[in-house]
Amino acid sequence: MSDFLRHLFVPHHTNNQRARLLHPTGISLLIGVYVFFQLALGWFATSNPQILGYASIIKSEELLSLTNKMRGDNGLAPVQLDSKLTAAAAQKASDMFARDYWAHVSPVGTQPWYFITEAGYSYRYAGENLARDFSDSDSVVKAWIASPTHRENLLNPRYQDMGLAIVDGKLGGRETTLVVQMFGTKLGAVAGSIFSAKAAEVSEPITKPVLFASRFDIGKIVSIVLLVFFSILLILDIVWVVRKKITRWTSKSVAHLAFMIMLILAVLIINRGLIL
């Protein structure tokens, strides 16, 4: 067993003075295992949502508070949480899950304004922000504020009201949390309406408990562990070669660099939500 481990991890005459896992075949094996693990994790999460489901800690009052903080920091009046806009946002989220789409306009051509008017909100101005796959309220607002079009909605001085829906469900065969944020100003509304603390009172949707962990958190942890492991392996290889003054005729540094870039991208992408 010790000889086998040395063959895998330590430069030696049996592996051409390079750890076997740093050879192209070893890298291919690591990539294969990594891809298989991610696919298996996705399948397991879908098959056993009660064990490895996806839920978030996004809350309406936090989104309202963070949105109004952004508006206050930019010299704008706060928006009030409106019950009709909230109903419209909830209906839009339900429609997205029912028709399985991720867009402002549904596959049958339904515009966001349809849900607003159907909820009984007669608007002069209206806007919509969407988000998915985020795990907390702060990251949602930060993503919106970093996007010029979403920032324009958040910091639009014309808007006086806001509706929010945070709904768990399955979209594209994957468990996720949708966040629908709708802005509006009623017909005939007087500019500069005063914010009421009661506007922040909203019932939260019941989300599934996560008994073990989020699949995205696990995927990210595995990516980080593999990145650290591979980096240590490369460093030990370099140190060993320098100390032993080993001369090698070939180098696979391009393959090593490509694999590390793949892992770094995986760490950055996994668990990052989408906005629309």
Side-chain angles (χ1 to χ4, degrees):
M1 178 60 72
S2 60
D3 290 339
F4 176 71
L5 293 177
R6 183 172 60 178
H7 179 73
L8 286 179
F9 302 113
V10 181
H12 198 255
H13 67 86
T14 62
N15 52 32
N16 196 27
Q17 301 301 331
R18 168 165 276 152
R20 192 63 191 175
L21 287 179
L22 294 179
H23 285 247
T25 53
I27 295 175
S28 299
L29 176 65
L30 289 175
I31 293 175
V33 170
Y34 178 76
V35 171
F36 175 79
F37 175 82
Q38 293 293 344
L39 292 174
L41 186 62
W43 172 83
F44 187 76
T46 302
S47 304
N48 302 274
Q50 73 281 6
I51 298 175
L52 195 61
Y54 179 80
S56 67
I57 54 172
I58 302 172
K59 296 182 179 179
S60 293
E61 62 265 25
E62 290 179 352
L63 289 176
L64 176 65
S65 175
L66 290 168
T67 297
N68 281 330
K69 182 181 185 305
M70 289 292 180
R71 291 176 67 86
D73 290 345
N74 286 272
L76 301 174
V79 290
Q80 300 183 57
L81 200 60
D82 183 87
S83 60
K84 292 181 179 179
L85 279 181
T86 294
Q91 187 57 43
K92 172 61 181 288
S94 297
D95 190 66
M96 291 175 71
F97 281 125
R99 299 184 187 277
D100 197 26
Y101 69 94
W102 169 242
H104 289 293
V105 182
S106 79
V108 296
T110 306
Q111 299 278 345
W113 332 127
Y114 168 82
F115 301 103
I116 294 177
T117 55
E118 280 293 296
Y121 187 95
S122 298
Y123 66 90
R124 183 179 181 185
Y125 305 108
E128 178 184 76
N129 284 340
L130 302 176
R132 59 177 289 187
D133 301 340
F134 287 91
S135 59
D136 61 89
S137 306
D138 187 61
S139 59
V140 174
V141 176
K142 283 182 178 178
W144 278 336
I145 207 71
S147 166
T149 54
H150 298 83
R151 179 186 177 91
E152 185 178 349
N153 272 340
L154 261 75
L155 303 182
N156 193 323
R158 294 176 174 175
Y159 294 144
Q160 297 180 3
D161 304 318
M162 183 175 70
L164 288 166
I166 302 121
V167 186
D168 289 341
K170 185 176 290 186
L171 197 66
R174 178 175 132 185
E175 294 290 332
T176 187
T177 297
L178 285 182
V179 180
V180 180
Q181 181 185 50
M182 287 186 168
F183 292 96
T185 298
K186 297 182 182 74
L187 281 174
V190 179
S193 59
I194 300 174
F195 174 70
S196 170
K198 292 183 179 178
E201 296 177 3
V202 60
S203 59
E204 285 296 319
I206 298 175
T207 59
K208 302 181 300 299
V210 178
L211 301 181
F212 183 63
S214 162
R215 56 170 289 197
F216 303 108
D217 291 336
I218 293 176
K220 191 169 186 177
I221 290 171
V222 170
S223 299
I224 293 174
V225 170
L226 191 55
L227 177 62
V228 171
F229 167 77
F230 193 74
S231 300
I232 292 175
L233 203 59
L234 274 177
I235 293 172
L236 291 177
D237 180 76
I238 294 172
V239 171
W240 183 276
V241 168
V242 172
R243 291 187 61 182
K244 298 294 183 179
K245 298 181 180 180
I246 298 172
T247 302
R248 291 192 294 224
W249 295 100
T250 59
S251 175
K252 304 296 187 300
S253 56
V254 175
H256 299 154
L257 181 61
F259 184 52
M260 291 192 69
I261 291 175
M262 183 195 78
L263 291 175
I264 292 172
L265 289 176
V267 170
L268 294 175
I269 292 173
I270 290 177
N271 214 25
R272 172 177 290 182
L274 301 174
I275 58 175
L276 191 64

